[in-house]
Amino acid sequence: MEKEIHVFAPATVANVVCGFDVLGFAVNAPGDEVIMRVTDKPGITISKITGDDGRLPMDPAKNTVSVSVQHYLQSVGRIDIGLDIELHKKMPIGSGLGSSSASTVAGLFAIKTLLGDESDAAKLLPFAMKGEEMACGHGHADNVAPALLGGFVLIRSYEPLDVVRLPHPAGLWCAIVFPDVDVPTREARQIIRKNIQMKDAVTQWGNIAGLVSGLFMNDIDLIGRSMKDVLVEPVRSMLIPDFYKMREMAMELGAVSFGISGSGPSVFAFTKDEETANRITQKLQQHLTGLKIGSNGYVSTINDAGPRVL
Ligand code: HSE
């Protein structure tokens, strides 16, 4: 058995505008890293966390990575093992980029690989969802599933859990901008309407079906015109500085679609090429600077690999 492993797991864009809690995809960067070492003393310790400005708990009973790993160890009957975890955050916390999911998935992938567990990575999904529940009070899978499986993922059902990996056009680029304002997922979920109108539901499921069809048909224009959200975005957009102005700018610069990444505040646009994606991140970041809001920008294709050993 290997004694040490270093794993990367990717950031993810959940919801993909119209698919609240049921759609997500992984990107190449950013992502989080976990270094896991086997120790002599049974139990899990966390010796180091970097990149979190001291915001994440070092207590293994309170950290989503160690708690998820502990659930996995129980399920495979290996609570005898001793582990030390180093977590290196390479993306902002509370960004809407699946920050906690990337860390949790990196930890689970690390222990699965250390133990030589050859079973399908999807087996780790329920443990990753436990981490998500701990992080924001709800165990949704639209960040953890693409972080774990890579690519574009549909959560067809939660009970029972039924996750479907979707194809996507090879030439799809993603521009992401994180405006540096705090939007905790827990709170961004509390403000969502609990009841919806039938007419809005019809619009929404037409768009989800259109988006999934576009992914299968390699039809980027169909993908773009299907990415409309009449249920969640009208409420959550209020938490994001100049959201509608940023949409207008992105669309004028040639975006195929634009929306909130996960629960925000990050926003993302699909484009047909890298140059347009670069231009969009650059202009949106300039706009935010003008509002005296710091930001990070990322440009990526869709990451089909998911977590990887470094
Ligand atoms: N589907 C989730 C939400 C993703 O929108 O609240 C955020 O983690």
Side-chain angles (χ1 to χ4, degrees), residues 14-15 20-21 132 136 140 142-143 185 189 192 236 262-263:
N15 301 332
F20 178 70
D21 277 359
E132 207 64 348
C136 74
H140 47 273
D142 50 342
N143 287 115
T185 298
R189 293 186 75 86
I192 293 170
R236 281 188 174 168
S263 57

Side-chain angles (χ1 to χ4, degrees), residues 2-35:
E2 292 278 336
K3 290 281 182 205
E4 179 176 325
I5 196 166
H6 187 172
V7 168
F8 163 92
T12 44
V13 172
N15 301 332
V16 201
V17 180
C18 51
F20 178 70
D21 277 359
V22 301
L23 285 173
F25 63 87
V27 291
N28 297 317
D32 284 349
E33 293 173 26
V34 160
I35 298 172

Side-chain angles (χ1 to χ4, degrees), residues 66-87:
S66 38
V67 168
S68 307
V69 168
Q70 181 68 23
H71 279 294
Y72 167 81
L73 289 174
Q74 270 158 2
S75 84
V76 293
R78 288 302 309 269
I79 46 167
D80 57 300
I81 200 169
L83 293 175
D84 180 63
I85 293 173
E86 275 186 29
L87 171 60

Side-chain angles (χ1 to χ4, degrees), residues 242-253:
D242 255 0
F243 176 78
Y244 290 104
K245 176 67 188 166
M246 288 199 284
R247 159 171 290 160
E248 190 189 311
M249 288 173 67
M251 297 313 284
E252 275 173 10
L253 288 162

Side-chain angles (χ1 to χ4, degrees), residues 18-307:
C18 51
F20 178 70
D21 277 359
V22 301
L23 285 173
F25 63 87
V27 291
N28 297 317
D32 284 349
E33 293 173 26
V34 160
I35 298 172
M36 189 177 276
R37 294 184 189 91
V38 178
T39 61
D40 295 336
K41 202 165 147 249
I44 304 178
T45 53
I46 300 176
S47 58
K48 194 183 217 179
I49 303 180
T50 63
D52 70 326
D53 290 330
R55 286 170 69 182
L56 297 178
M58 300 281 288
D59 178 351
K62 295 191 179 137
N63 187 290
T64 57
V65 181
S66 38
V67 168
S68 307
V69 168
Q70 181 68 23
H71 279 294
Y72 167 81
L73 289 174
Q74 270 158 2
S75 84
V76 293
R78 288 302 309 269
I79 46 167
D80 57 300
I81 200 169
L83 293 175
D84 180 63
I85 293 173
E86 275 186 29
L87 171 60
H88 299 284
K89 298 293 303 173
K90 306 272 179 171
M91 68 173 116
I93 297 171
S95 54
L97 294 172
S99 171
S100 58
S101 302
S103 303
T104 304
V105 164
L108 286 167
F109 193 75
I111 185 61
K112 176 180 180 294
T113 311
L114 275 180
L115 291 181
D117 177 351
E118 305 251 312
S119 55
D120 202 278
K123 178 186 147 181
L124 299 176
L125 201 48
F127 308 110
M129 288 167 69
K130 286 236 183 281
E132 207 64 348
E133 192 172 346
M134 209 176 145
C136 74
H138 188 268
H140 47 273
D142 50 342
N143 287 115
V144 281
L148 186 61
L149 307 176
F152 223 113
V153 178
L154 165 72
I155 322 301
R156 203 278 308 163
S157 154
Y158 276 90
E159 287 176 19
L161 192 59
D162 185 359
V163 172
V164 184
R165 218 158 162 279
L166 303 174
H168 60 83
L172 203 54
W173 283 83
C174 181
I176 297 175
V177 173
F178 162 64
D180 194 2
V181 295
D182 218 23
V183 177
T185 298
R186 191 182 291 269
E187 283 154 41
R189 293 186 75 86
Q190 279 163 358
I191 61 170
I192 293 170
R193 280 174 281 174
K194 300 286 176 291
N195 298 303
I196 59 172
Q197 299 276 338
M198 178 60 88
K199 110 175 155 14
D200 289 339
V202 170
T203 304
Q204 199 83 3
W205 59 56
N207 280 327
I208 296 172
L211 170 52
V212 173
S213 304
L215 291 170
F216 271 91
M217 294 161 69
N218 273 318
D219 185 338
I220 295 184
D221 293 324
L222 175 58
I223 290 171
R225 66 178 185 275
S226 303
M227 285 171 62
K228 302 207 171 85
D229 172 17
V230 294
L231 301 181
V232 179
E233 183 184 281
V235 183
R236 281 188 174 168
S237 54
M238 293 185 295
L239 303 174
I240 299 169
D242 255 0
F243 176 78
Y244 290 104
K245 176 67 188 166
M246 288 199 284
R247 159 171 290 160
E248 190 189 311
M249 288 173 67
M251 297 313 284
E252 275 173 10
L253 288 162
V256 167
S257 56
F258 178 88
I260 304 172
S261 173
S263 57
S266 288
V267 291
F268 78 104
F270 275 147
T271 68
K272 291 181 185 173
D273 59 78
E274 184 177 12
E275 201 191 323
T276 309
N278 278 325
R279 207 166 42 233
I280 290 171
T281 42
Q282 193 195 356
K283 293 284 179 197
L284 295 190
Q285 287 195 265
Q286 272 171 10
H287 181 72
L288 289 165
T289 305
L291 298 175
K292 300 203 171 7
I293 296 169
S295 64
N296 296 27
Y298 310 95
V299 168
S300 174
T301 50
I302 291 172
N303 167 1
D304 286 310

